[in-house]
Amino acid sequence: MIIDTHAHYDDKAFDEDRAELLQSMQGAGVERIVNIGSSLGACKRTIQLMEQYDFVYGALGIHPTDSGELTESDIEWIRENCALEKCVAVGEIGLDYYWDEPDRAIQRKWFVRQLALAREVKLPVVIHSRDAAQDTVDIMKAENARDLGGVVHCYSYSKELAKTFLDMGFYFGIGGVVTFGNGRKLKEVVEYLPLDRMVLETDSPYLAPVPFRGKRNDSRKLTHVVEQIAQIKGISLEEVQKTTTRNAYNLYPKLK
Ligand code: NI
């Protein structure tokens, strides 16, 4: 059994067959799914999915590219809902300088604010960081993110920088990119990382692994990511599944 630690089943890409698809998950070996909030609307839909499906848990937070209109009363709403039994983390939060929208200063402000929120509600964080390595590390250090714990989702930086996040006690979300022909940098990172710091994630509906690259992703396709990690590490599929599943429960202590 495997755990998808990062998915967006609230996305409209699933509107046509969401129920059917989610009902097929446990039969296909997917034990738990953590649906990740990215906007206020997505957080509300995440709560609905948590209520509808036993095996779906959630994280609540605002993605940097959605932080432009955020207000303190929105943060208060998230804070209240973090108390829900099945809310396992604050996220996804962070910095995205690839899209560079909204303004970097605004992204930084809400990243800092949501790290503080995680501290208030005593939950780990799900970090989104793209083309913003230095500022991400600087802010995480300044805010003592080490005490919060969490995961760097869709890790896209170097092996060298991976050590910095390892030293902060963070997990690494590994998904479809590791199967890509041009995913050499991530393959090196996976080779370097201890298995007990990796968790599986899809980022569904995005980042489907080969041979589905470019198509809609879903958690059942994680078997291809498991195969790739097993091959890189020279270990069995069972060991990858067993260890990443245990890691997911350690990463999100409220996940049951
Ligand atoms: Ni995501």
Side-chain angles (χ1 to χ4, degrees), residues 4-10 32-38 42-51 53-61 78 81-92 123-124 126 252 254-256:
D4 187 349
T5 62
H6 190 122
H8 302 279
Y9 284 104
D10 57 282
R32 296 284 180 272
I33 293 169
V34 181
N35 203 75
I36 308 285
S38 53
C43 286
K44 287 175 185 159
R45 294 190 295 274
T46 294
I47 293 171
Q48 284 170 3
L49 291 171
M50 283 155 57
E51 286 167 351
Y53 299 93
D54 289 356
F55 63 97
V56 176
Y57 287 67
L60 302 178
I78 295 172
N81 285 285
C82 282
L84 292 170
E85 201 182 330
K86 291 174 78 189
C87 174
V88 299
V90 170
E92 53 189 296
L123 286 176
V126 179
Y252 299 133
K254 281 170 78 180
L255 188 65
K256 294 287 181 281

mmCIF file of all heavy atoms in Angstrom, residues 4-10 32-38 42-51 53-61 78 81-92 123-124 126 252 254-256:
data_model
loop_
_atom_site.group_PDB
_atom_site.id
_atom_site.type_symbol
_atom_site.label_atom_id
_atom_site.label_comp_id
_atom_site.label_asym_id
_atom_site.label_seq_id
_atom_site.Cartn_x
_atom_site.Cartn_y
_atom_site.Cartn_z
ATOM 1 N N ASP A 4 -0.221 8.821 -1.131
ATOM 2 C CA ASP A 4 0.034 10.017 -1.933
ATOM 3 C C ASP A 4 -0.002 11.205 -0.978
ATOM 4 O O ASP A 4 -1.072 11.587 -0.491
ATOM 5 C CB ASP A 4 -1.022 10.154 -3.033
ATOM 6 C CG ASP A 4 -0.702 11.292 -4.001
ATOM 7 O OD1 ASP A 4 0.219 12.091 -3.704
ATOM 8 O OD2 ASP A 4 -1.384 11.382 -5.045
ATOM 9 N N THR A 5 1.171 11.787 -0.708
ATOM 10 C CA THR A 5 1.266 12.854 0.293
ATOM 11 C C THR A 5 0.918 14.235 -0.259
ATOM 12 O O THR A 5 0.933 15.211 0.493
ATOM 13 C CB THR A 5 2.688 12.932 0.895
ATOM 14 O OG1 THR A 5 3.615 13.237 -0.164
ATOM 15 C CG2 THR A 5 3.082 11.644 1.577
ATOM 16 N N HIS A 6 0.620 14.324 -1.561
ATOM 17 C CA HIS A 6 0.375 15.650 -2.151
ATOM 18 C C HIS A 6 -0.431 15.511 -3.439
ATOM 19 O O HIS A 6 0.108 15.117 -4.469
ATOM 20 C CB HIS A 6 1.710 16.344 -2.429
ATOM 21 C CG HIS A 6 1.592 17.784 -2.808
ATOM 22 N ND1 HIS A 6 2.214 18.783 -2.103
ATOM 23 C CD2 HIS A 6 0.925 18.409 -3.825
ATOM 24 C CE1 HIS A 6 1.943 19.962 -2.656
ATOM 25 N NE2 HIS A 6 1.161 19.759 -3.716
ATOM 26 N N ALA A 7 -1.711 15.836 -3.374
ATOM 27 C CA ALA A 7 -2.555 15.771 -4.572
ATOM 28 C C ALA A 7 -3.586 16.886 -4.517
ATOM 29 O O ALA A 7 -3.849 17.450 -3.458
ATOM 30 C CB ALA A 7 -3.246 14.420 -4.649
ATOM 31 N N HIS A 8 -4.164 17.187 -5.683
ATOM 32 C CA HIS A 8 -5.178 18.247 -5.777
ATOM 33 C C HIS A 8 -6.422 17.685 -6.464
ATOM 34 O O HIS A 8 -6.714 18.026 -7.615
ATOM 35 C CB HIS A 8 -4.637 19.442 -6.568
ATOM 36 C CG HIS A 8 -3.390 20.048 -6.005
ATOM 37 N ND1 HIS A 8 -3.411 20.931 -4.956
ATOM 38 C CD2 HIS A 8 -2.077 19.884 -6.326
ATOM 39 C CE1 HIS A 8 -2.165 21.303 -4.661
ATOM 40 N NE2 HIS A 8 -1.337 20.672 -5.479
ATOM 41 N N TYR A 9 -7.147 16.821 -5.765
ATOM 42 C CA TYR A 9 -8.364 16.236 -6.352
ATOM 43 C C TYR A 9 -9.529 17.211 -6.397
ATOM 44 O O TYR A 9 -10.564 16.909 -6.968
ATOM 45 C CB TYR A 9 -8.746 14.938 -5.622
ATOM 46 C CG TYR A 9 -7.858 13.806 -6.040
ATOM 47 C CD1 TYR A 9 -6.834 13.345 -5.229
ATOM 48 C CD2 TYR A 9 -8.011 13.225 -7.309
ATOM 49 C CE1 TYR A 9 -5.988 12.338 -5.642
ATOM 50 C CE2 TYR A 9 -7.169 12.213 -7.737
ATOM 51 C CZ TYR A 9 -6.166 11.767 -6.894
ATOM 52 O OH TYR A 9 -5.330 10.774 -7.322
ATOM 53 N N ASP A 10 -9.347 18.382 -5.786
ATOM 54 C CA ASP A 10 -10.367 19.423 -5.907
ATOM 55 C C ASP A 10 -10.292 20.107 -7.283
ATOM 56 O O ASP A 10 -11.192 20.834 -7.661
ATOM 57 C CB ASP A 10 -10.159 20.474 -4.819
ATOM 58 C CG ASP A 10 -8.750 21.061 -4.891
ATOM 59 O OD1 ASP A 10 -7.804 20.389 -4.421
ATOM 60 O OD2 ASP A 10 -8.588 22.171 -5.442
ATOM 61 N N ARG A 32 -3.786 6.053 1.586
ATOM 62 C CA ARG A 32 -4.194 7.383 2.047
ATOM 63 C C ARG A 32 -3.823 8.406 0.981
ATOM 64 O O ARG A 32 -2.809 8.244 0.282
ATOM 65 C CB ARG A 32 -3.439 7.795 3.325
ATOM 66 C CG ARG A 32 -3.720 6.938 4.547
ATOM 67 C CD ARG A 32 -5.070 7.263 5.166
ATOM 68 N NE ARG A 32 -5.325 6.447 6.338
ATOM 69 C CZ ARG A 32 -5.902 5.245 6.322
ATOM 70 N NH1 ARG A 32 -6.270 4.698 5.169
ATOM 71 N NH2 ARG A 32 -6.109 4.588 7.456
ATOM 72 N N ILE A 33 -4.622 9.479 0.914
ATOM 73 C CA ILE A 33 -4.309 10.609 0.036
ATOM 74 C C ILE A 33 -4.388 11.877 0.879
ATOM 75 O O ILE A 33 -5.343 12.041 1.647
ATOM 76 C CB ILE A 33 -5.312 10.699 -1.136
ATOM 77 C CG1 ILE A 33 -5.146 9.499 -2.081
ATOM 78 C CG2 ILE A 33 -5.154 12.022 -1.892
ATOM 79 C CD1 ILE A 33 -6.252 9.373 -3.111
ATOM 80 N N VAL A 34 -3.402 12.742 0.746
ATOM 81 C CA VAL A 34 -3.485 14.054 1.390
ATOM 82 C C VAL A 34 -3.748 15.078 0.292
ATOM 83 O O VAL A 34 -2.916 15.286 -0.601
ATOM 84 C CB VAL A 34 -2.206 14.389 2.185
ATOM 85 C CG1 VAL A 34 -2.356 15.758 2.853
ATOM 86 C CG2 VAL A 34 -1.930 13.309 3.244
ATOM 87 N N ASN A 35 -4.950 15.669 0.353
ATOM 88 C CA ASN A 35 -5.296 16.699 -0.625
ATOM 89 C C ASN A 35 -4.778 18.039 -0.106
ATOM 90 O O ASN A 35 -4.988 18.395 1.049
ATOM 91 C CB ASN A 35 -6.815 16.754 -0.825
ATOM 92 C CG ASN A 35 -7.181 17.354 -2.164
ATOM 93 O OD1 ASN A 35 -7.050 16.698 -3.196
ATOM 94 N ND2 ASN A 35 -7.604 18.608 -2.179
ATOM 95 N N ILE A 36 -4.100 18.771 -0.983
ATOM 96 C CA ILE A 36 -3.389 19.969 -0.541
ATOM 97 C C ILE A 36 -4.117 21.224 -1.012
ATOM 98 O O ILE A 36 -4.370 21.384 -2.210
ATOM 99 C CB ILE A 36 -1.945 19.968 -1.101
ATOM 100 C CG1 ILE A 36 -1.215 18.653 -0.779
ATOM 101 C CG2 ILE A 36 -1.164 21.190 -0.625
ATOM 102 C CD1 ILE A 36 -0.740 18.475 0.637
ATOM 103 N N GLY A 37 -4.400 22.101 -0.082
ATOM 104 C CA GLY A 37 -5.039 23.375 -0.426
ATOM 105 C C GLY A 37 -4.051 24.299 -1.113
ATOM 106 O O GLY A 37 -2.846 24.255 -0.842
ATOM 107 N N SER A 38 -4.560 25.135 -2.022
ATOM 108 C CA SER A 38 -3.664 26.073 -2.708
ATOM 109 C C SER A 38 -4.266 27.476 -2.741
ATOM 110 O O SER A 38 -3.527 28.459 -2.755
ATOM 111 C CB SER A 38 -3.377 25.580 -4.126
ATOM 112 O OG SER A 38 -4.592 25.333 -4.806
ATOM 113 N N ALA A 42 -9.871 26.212 -2.913
ATOM 114 C CA ALA A 42 -9.317 24.853 -2.893
ATOM 115 C C ALA A 42 -9.313 24.294 -1.461
ATOM 116 O O ALA A 42 -9.539 23.105 -1.253
ATOM 117 C CB ALA A 42 -7.913 24.840 -3.475
ATOM 118 N N CYS A 43 -9.068 25.159 -0.484
ATOM 119 C CA CYS A 43 -9.097 24.712 0.916
ATOM 120 C C CYS A 43 -10.508 24.275 1.296
ATOM 121 O O CYS A 43 -10.684 23.250 1.959
ATOM 122 C CB CYS A 43 -8.630 25.826 1.853
ATOM 123 S SG CYS A 43 -6.848 26.105 1.795
ATOM 124 N N LYS A 44 -11.505 25.033 0.860
ATOM 125 C CA LYS A 44 -12.902 24.659 1.170
ATOM 126 C C LYS A 44 -13.248 23.323 0.524
ATOM 127 O O LYS A 44 -13.869 22.464 1.144
ATOM 128 C CB LYS A 44 -13.863 25.766 0.701
ATOM 129 C CG LYS A 44 -13.771 26.982 1.620
ATOM 130 C CD LYS A 44 -14.614 28.166 1.152
ATOM 131 C CE LYS A 44 -14.319 29.337 2.095
ATOM 132 N NZ LYS A 44 -14.649 30.639 1.493
ATOM 133 N N ARG A 45 -12.822 23.139 -0.713
ATOM 134 C CA ARG A 45 -13.107 21.873 -1.412
ATOM 135 C C ARG A 45 -12.314 20.725 -0.783
ATOM 136 O O ARG A 45 -12.780 19.596 -0.736
ATOM 137 C CB ARG A 45 -12.785 22.015 -2.904
ATOM 138 C CG ARG A 45 -13.708 23.003 -3.617
ATOM 139 C CD ARG A 45 -13.540 22.957 -5.131
ATOM 140 N NE ARG A 45 -12.226 23.398 -5.593
ATOM 141 C CZ ARG A 45 -11.892 24.670 -5.841
ATOM 142 N NH1 ARG A 45 -12.781 25.641 -5.681
ATOM 143 N NH2 ARG A 45 -10.675 24.977 -6.275
ATOM 144 N N THR A 46 -11.119 21.029 -0.264
ATOM 145 C CA THR A 46 -10.321 20.005 0.418
ATOM 146 C C THR A 46 -11.059 19.506 1.661
ATOM 147 O O THR A 46 -11.118 18.297 1.915
ATOM 148 C CB THR A 46 -8.934 20.591 0.800
ATOM 149 O OG1 THR A 46 -8.225 20.880 -0.408
ATOM 150 C CG2 THR A 46 -8.122 19.624 1.648
ATOM 151 N N ILE A 47 -11.666 20.428 2.408
ATOM 152 C CA ILE A 47 -12.419 20.037 3.607
ATOM 153 C C ILE A 47 -13.593 19.133 3.214
ATOM 154 O O ILE A 47 -13.860 18.118 3.866
ATOM 155 C CB ILE A 47 -12.890 21.289 4.387
ATOM 156 C CG1 ILE A 47 -11.665 22.014 4.967
ATOM 157 C CG2 ILE A 47 -13.868 20.907 5.501
ATOM 158 C CD1 ILE A 47 -11.965 23.380 5.570
ATOM 159 N N GLN A 48 -14.263 19.470 2.111
ATOM 160 C CA GLN A 48 -15.367 18.606 1.650
ATOM 161 C C GLN A 48 -14.873 17.199 1.333
ATOM 162 O O GLN A 48 -15.509 16.213 1.705
ATOM 163 C CB GLN A 48 -16.009 19.193 0.385
ATOM 164 C CG GLN A 48 -16.910 20.390 0.671
ATOM 165 C CD GLN A 48 -17.340 21.099 -0.620
ATOM 166 O OE1 GLN A 48 -17.022 20.666 -1.741
ATOM 167 N NE2 GLN A 48 -18.063 22.187 -0.467
ATOM 168 N N LEU A 49 -13.738 17.100 0.653
ATOM 169 C CA LEU A 49 -13.204 15.775 0.301
ATOM 170 C C LEU A 49 -12.807 14.992 1.557
ATOM 171 O O LEU A 49 -13.019 13.784 1.639
ATOM 172 C CB LEU A 49 -11.994 15.916 -0.641
ATOM 173 C CG LEU A 49 -12.307 16.417 -2.048
ATOM 174 C CD1 LEU A 49 -11.025 16.736 -2.809
ATOM 175 C CD2 LEU A 49 -13.123 15.379 -2.825
ATOM 176 N N MET A 50 -12.250 15.693 2.548
ATOM 177 C CA MET A 50 -11.885 15.050 3.824
ATOM 178 C C MET A 50 -13.125 14.476 4.503
ATOM 179 O O MET A 50 -13.071 13.425 5.139
ATOM 180 C CB MET A 50 -11.272 16.086 4.777
ATOM 181 C CG MET A 50 -9.837 16.472 4.488
ATOM 182 S SD MET A 50 -9.425 18.146 5.116
ATOM 183 C CE MET A 50 -9.817 18.023 6.846
ATOM 184 N N GLU A 51 -14.245 15.205 4.375
ATOM 185 C CA GLU A 51 -15.483 14.752 5.019
ATOM 186 C C GLU A 51 -16.115 13.596 4.251
ATOM 187 O O GLU A 51 -16.718 12.706 4.837
ATOM 188 C CB GLU A 51 -16.479 15.924 5.113
ATOM 189 C CG GLU A 51 -16.075 16.923 6.194
ATOM 190 C CD GLU A 51 -16.839 18.246 6.123
ATOM 191 O OE1 GLU A 51 -17.581 18.476 5.124
ATOM 192 O OE2 GLU A 51 -16.676 19.055 7.059
ATOM 193 N N TYR A 53 -14.564 11.258 2.169
ATOM 194 C CA TYR A 53 -13.802 10.011 2.002
ATOM 195 C C TYR A 53 -12.925 9.757 3.222
ATOM 196 O O TYR A 53 -12.080 10.599 3.562
ATOM 197 C CB TYR A 53 -12.909 10.082 0.748
ATOM 198 C CG TYR A 53 -13.697 10.275 -0.523
ATOM 199 C CD1 TYR A 53 -13.928 11.549 -1.024
ATOM 200 C CD2 TYR A 53 -14.234 9.184 -1.193
ATOM 201 C CE1 TYR A 53 -14.680 11.735 -2.179
ATOM 202 C CE2 TYR A 53 -14.985 9.364 -2.348
ATOM 203 C CZ TYR A 53 -15.208 10.643 -2.836
ATOM 204 O OH TYR A 53 -15.951 10.825 -3.979
ATOM 205 N N ASP A 54 -13.119 8.580 3.828
ATOM 206 C CA ASP A 54 -12.335 8.179 5.016
ATOM 207 C C ASP A 54 -10.842 8.351 4.818
ATOM 208 O O ASP A 54 -10.133 8.742 5.728
ATOM 209 C CB ASP A 54 -12.460 6.662 5.258
ATOM 210 C CG ASP A 54 -13.815 6.288 5.735
ATOM 211 O OD1 ASP A 54 -14.619 7.207 5.956
ATOM 212 O OD2 ASP A 54 -14.035 5.070 5.878
ATOM 213 N N PHE A 55 -10.371 7.939 3.647
ATOM 214 C CA PHE A 55 -8.927 7.826 3.421
ATOM 215 C C PHE A 55 -8.324 9.111 2.860
ATOM 216 O O PHE A 55 -7.130 9.167 2.580
ATOM 217 C CB PHE A 55 -8.623 6.644 2.478
ATOM 218 C CG PHE A 55 -9.215 6.819 1.106
ATOM 219 C CD1 PHE A 55 -8.439 7.310 0.070
ATOM 220 C CD2 PHE A 55 -10.545 6.508 0.853
ATOM 221 C CE1 PHE A 55 -8.975 7.500 -1.197
ATOM 222 C CE2 PHE A 55 -11.089 6.698 -0.406
ATOM 223 C CZ PHE A 55 -10.313 7.192 -1.434
ATOM 224 N N VAL A 56 -9.148 10.150 2.685
ATOM 225 C CA VAL A 56 -8.625 11.445 2.215
ATOM 226 C C VAL A 56 -8.442 12.387 3.407
ATOM 227 O O VAL A 56 -9.387 12.624 4.164
ATOM 228 C CB VAL A 56 -9.539 12.098 1.156
ATOM 229 C CG1 VAL A 56 -9.010 13.484 0.764
ATOM 230 C CG2 VAL A 56 -9.656 11.211 -0.080
ATOM 231 N N TYR A 57 -7.232 12.880 3.565
ATOM 232 C CA TYR A 57 -6.891 13.860 4.581
ATOM 233 C C TYR A 57 -6.572 15.180 3.861
ATOM 234 O O TYR A 57 -6.577 15.223 2.629
ATOM 235 C CB TYR A 57 -5.693 13.373 5.414
ATOM 236 C CG TYR A 57 -6.054 12.249 6.357
ATOM 237 C CD1 TYR A 57 -6.415 10.990 5.877
ATOM 238 C CD2 TYR A 57 -6.049 12.443 7.733
ATOM 239 C CE1 TYR A 57 -6.764 9.969 6.742
ATOM 240 C CE2 TYR A 57 -6.395 11.415 8.608
ATOM 241 C CZ TYR A 57 -6.752 10.182 8.112
ATOM 242 O OH TYR A 57 -7.105 9.176 8.968
ATOM 243 N N GLY A 58 -6.258 16.221 4.617
ATOM 244 C CA GLY A 58 -6.024 17.482 3.924
ATOM 245 C C GLY A 58 -4.952 18.344 4.575
ATOM 246 O O GLY A 58 -4.605 18.180 5.745
ATOM 247 N N ALA A 59 -4.419 19.250 3.762
ATOM 248 C CA ALA A 59 -3.554 20.320 4.267
ATOM 249 C C ALA A 59 -4.209 21.622 3.839
ATOM 250 O O ALA A 59 -4.779 21.699 2.742
ATOM 251 C CB ALA A 59 -2.158 20.214 3.669
ATOM 252 N N LEU A 60 -4.134 22.637 4.689
ATOM 253 C CA LEU A 60 -4.769 23.919 4.395
ATOM 254 C C LEU A 60 -3.724 25.027 4.382
ATOM 255 O O LEU A 60 -2.948 25.169 5.341
ATOM 256 C CB LEU A 60 -5.849 24.227 5.440
ATOM 257 C CG LEU A 60 -6.970 23.179 5.558
ATOM 258 C CD1 LEU A 60 -7.942 23.579 6.674
ATOM 259 C CD2 LEU A 60 -7.734 23.011 4.243
ATOM 260 N N GLY A 61 -3.715 25.787 3.289
ATOM 261 C CA GLY A 61 -2.762 26.882 3.163
ATOM 262 C C GLY A 61 -2.909 27.523 1.806
ATOM 263 O O GLY A 61 -3.661 27.038 0.955
ATOM 264 N N ILE A 78 -8.346 29.832 8.110
ATOM 265 C CA ILE A 78 -7.492 28.639 7.970
ATOM 266 C C ILE A 78 -7.111 28.113 9.358
ATOM 267 O O ILE A 78 -7.174 26.915 9.620
ATOM 268 C CB ILE A 78 -6.221 28.958 7.142
ATOM 269 C CG1 ILE A 78 -6.604 29.323 5.702
ATOM 270 C CG2 ILE A 78 -5.259 27.767 7.135
ATOM 271 C CD1 ILE A 78 -5.441 29.839 4.871
ATOM 272 N N ASN A 81 -9.793 26.090 10.930
ATOM 273 C CA ASN A 81 -10.014 24.794 10.288
ATOM 274 C C ASN A 81 -8.837 23.834 10.425
ATOM 275 O O ASN A 81 -8.993 22.630 10.224
ATOM 276 C CB ASN A 81 -10.416 24.993 8.826
ATOM 277 C CG ASN A 81 -11.848 25.464 8.727
ATOM 278 O OD1 ASN A 81 -12.775 24.689 8.916
ATOM 279 N ND2 ASN A 81 -12.025 26.754 8.498
ATOM 280 N N CYS A 82 -7.676 24.354 10.791
ATOM 281 C CA CYS A 82 -6.537 23.483 11.063
ATOM 282 C C CYS A 82 -6.814 22.566 12.261
ATOM 283 O O CYS A 82 -6.156 21.545 12.425
ATOM 284 C CB CYS A 82 -5.266 24.297 11.330
ATOM 285 S SG CYS A 82 -4.524 24.918 9.812
ATOM 286 N N ALA A 83 -7.804 22.947 13.072
ATOM 287 C CA ALA A 83 -8.151 22.129 14.233
ATOM 288 C C ALA A 83 -8.928 20.868 13.832
ATOM 289 O O ALA A 83 -9.084 19.950 14.635
ATOM 290 C CB ALA A 83 -8.969 22.955 15.225
ATOM 291 N N LEU A 84 -9.428 20.829 12.592
ATOM 292 C CA LEU A 84 -10.153 19.629 12.139
ATOM 293 C C LEU A 84 -9.261 18.401 12.304
ATOM 294 O O LEU A 84 -8.060 18.454 12.033
ATOM 295 C CB LEU A 84 -10.564 19.779 10.664
ATOM 296 C CG LEU A 84 -11.619 20.848 10.358
ATOM 297 C CD1 LEU A 84 -11.739 21.049 8.841
ATOM 298 C CD2 LEU A 84 -12.969 20.438 10.956
ATOM 299 N N GLU A 85 -9.908 17.312 12.712
ATOM 300 C CA GLU A 85 -9.175 16.084 13.005
ATOM 301 C C GLU A 85 -8.327 15.615 11.816
ATOM 302 O O GLU A 85 -7.235 15.080 11.993
ATOM 303 C CB GLU A 85 -10.198 15.012 13.373
ATOM 304 C CG GLU A 85 -9.650 13.869 14.165
ATOM 305 C CD GLU A 85 -10.743 12.837 14.436
ATOM 306 O OE1 GLU A 85 -11.932 13.237 14.528
ATOM 307 O OE2 GLU A 85 -10.392 11.654 14.528
ATOM 308 N N LYS A 86 -8.850 15.813 10.604
ATOM 309 C CA LYS A 86 -8.149 15.283 9.430
ATOM 310 C C LYS A 86 -7.292 16.319 8.700
ATOM 311 O O LYS A 86 -6.786 16.045 7.621
ATOM 312 C CB LYS A 86 -9.140 14.628 8.474
ATOM 313 C CG LYS A 86 -9.720 13.334 9.071
ATOM 314 C CD LYS A 86 -10.810 12.762 8.202
ATOM 315 C CE LYS A 86 -10.240 12.034 6.989
ATOM 316 N NZ LYS A 86 -11.299 11.659 6.042
ATOM 317 N N CYS A 87 -7.112 17.500 9.294
ATOM 318 C CA CYS A 87 -6.185 18.467 8.702
ATOM 319 C C CYS A 87 -4.791 18.178 9.257
ATOM 320 O O CYS A 87 -4.536 18.355 10.447
ATOM 321 C CB CYS A 87 -6.600 19.901 9.009
ATOM 322 S SG CYS A 87 -5.351 21.068 8.424
ATOM 323 N N VAL A 88 -3.881 17.727 8.386
ATOM 324 C CA VAL A 88 -2.598 17.202 8.857
ATOM 325 C C VAL A 88 -1.420 18.166 8.695
ATOM 326 O O VAL A 88 -0.326 17.879 9.187
ATOM 327 C CB VAL A 88 -2.255 15.860 8.152
ATOM 328 C CG1 VAL A 88 -3.320 14.811 8.460
ATOM 329 C CG2 VAL A 88 -2.080 16.042 6.645
ATOM 330 N N ALA A 89 -1.621 19.283 7.978
ATOM 331 C CA ALA A 89 -0.492 20.191 7.731
ATOM 332 C C ALA A 89 -0.989 21.556 7.286
ATOM 333 O O ALA A 89 -2.158 21.728 6.918
ATOM 334 C CB ALA A 89 0.439 19.611 6.655
ATOM 335 N N VAL A 90 -0.083 22.526 7.299
ATOM 336 C CA VAL A 90 -0.331 23.839 6.709
ATOM 337 C C VAL A 90 0.387 23.854 5.356
ATOM 338 O O VAL A 90 1.595 23.632 5.283
ATOM 339 C CB VAL A 90 0.198 24.978 7.614
ATOM 340 C CG1 VAL A 90 0.147 26.321 6.881
ATOM 341 C CG2 VAL A 90 -0.629 25.055 8.905
ATOM 342 N N GLY A 91 -0.368 24.076 4.279
ATOM 343 C CA GLY A 91 0.277 24.103 2.972
ATOM 344 C C GLY A 91 -0.729 24.009 1.843
ATOM 345 O O GLY A 91 -1.896 23.715 2.091
ATOM 346 N N GLU A 92 -0.268 24.267 0.597
ATOM 347 C CA GLU A 92 1.138 24.481 0.381
ATOM 348 C C GLU A 92 1.469 25.965 0.434
ATOM 349 O O GLU A 92 0.733 26.797 -0.087
ATOM 350 C CB GLU A 92 1.590 23.870 -0.966
ATOM 351 C CG GLU A 92 0.775 24.302 -2.183
ATOM 352 C CD GLU A 92 1.148 23.493 -3.427
ATOM 353 O OE1 GLU A 92 2.291 23.591 -3.897
ATOM 354 O OE2 GLU A 92 0.270 22.776 -3.932
ATOM 355 N N LEU A 123 1.376 22.334 13.519
ATOM 356 C CA LEU A 123 1.317 21.393 12.396
ATOM 357 C C LEU A 123 2.571 21.536 11.534
ATOM 358 O O LEU A 123 3.162 22.622 11.473
ATOM 359 C CB LEU A 123 0.085 21.662 11.529
ATOM 360 C CG LEU A 123 -1.278 21.238 12.085
ATOM 361 C CD1 LEU A 123 -2.394 21.660 11.132
ATOM 362 C CD2 LEU A 123 -1.340 19.728 12.323
ATOM 363 N N PRO A 124 2.958 20.456 10.856
ATOM 364 C CA PRO A 124 4.061 20.561 9.894
ATOM 365 C C PRO A 124 3.643 21.369 8.666
ATOM 366 O O PRO A 124 2.456 21.633 8.472
ATOM 367 C CB PRO A 124 4.338 19.101 9.521
ATOM 368 C CG PRO A 124 3.063 18.375 9.795
ATOM 369 C CD PRO A 124 2.394 19.105 10.922
ATOM 370 N N VAL A 126 3.906 22.175 4.326
ATOM 371 C CA VAL A 126 4.174 21.673 2.978
ATOM 372 C C VAL A 126 4.717 22.857 2.189
ATOM 373 O O VAL A 126 4.013 23.846 1.964
ATOM 374 C CB VAL A 126 2.885 21.145 2.312
ATOM 375 C CG1 VAL A 126 3.175 20.656 0.897
ATOM 376 C CG2 VAL A 126 2.249 20.048 3.156
ATOM 377 N N TYR A 252 3.361 13.466 8.724
ATOM 378 C CA TYR A 252 2.060 14.036 9.121
ATOM 379 C C TYR A 252 1.537 13.269 10.343
ATOM 380 O O TYR A 252 0.801 12.283 10.169
ATOM 381 C CB TYR A 252 1.049 13.875 7.990
ATOM 382 C CG TYR A 252 1.352 14.549 6.660
ATOM 383 C CD1 TYR A 252 1.205 13.840 5.454
ATOM 384 C CD2 TYR A 252 1.705 15.904 6.586
ATOM 385 C CE1 TYR A 252 1.415 14.451 4.218
ATOM 386 C CE2 TYR A 252 1.923 16.511 5.352
ATOM 387 C CZ TYR A 252 1.777 15.792 4.179
ATOM 388 O OH TYR A 252 1.983 16.387 2.945
ATOM 389 N N LYS A 254 -0.844 13.620 12.316
ATOM 390 C CA LYS A 254 -2.298 13.458 12.456
ATOM 391 C C LYS A 254 -2.876 12.456 11.453
ATOM 392 O O LYS A 254 -4.056 12.115 11.522
ATOM 393 C CB LYS A 254 -3.013 14.813 12.313
ATOM 394 C CG LYS A 254 -2.945 15.663 13.601
ATOM 395 C CD LYS A 254 -3.447 17.080 13.368
ATOM 396 C CE LYS A 254 -4.981 17.172 13.337
ATOM 397 N NZ LYS A 254 -5.411 18.597 13.102
ATOM 398 N N LEU A 255 -2.065 12.000 10.518
ATOM 399 C CA LEU A 255 -2.514 11.001 9.546
ATOM 400 C C LEU A 255 -2.648 9.665 10.265
ATOM 401 O O LEU A 255 -1.694 9.220 10.915
ATOM 402 C CB LEU A 255 -1.493 10.914 8.409
ATOM 403 C CG LEU A 255 -1.818 10.072 7.171
ATOM 404 C CD1 LEU A 255 -2.997 10.659 6.404
ATOM 405 C CD2 LEU A 255 -0.600 9.990 6.252
ATOM 406 N N LYS A 256 -3.823 9.047 10.132
ATOM 407 C CA LYS A 256 -4.048 7.787 10.864
ATOM 408 C C LYS A 256 -4.383 6.663 9.888
ATOM 409 O O LYS A 256 -4.987 6.881 8.891
ATOM 410 C CB LYS A 256 -5.200 7.943 11.863
ATOM 411 C CG LYS A 256 -4.895 8.912 12.999
ATOM 412 C CD LYS A 256 -3.907 8.297 13.978
ATOM 413 C CE LYS A 256 -3.563 9.193 15.152
ATOM 414 N NZ LYS A 256 -2.591 10.251 14.908
#
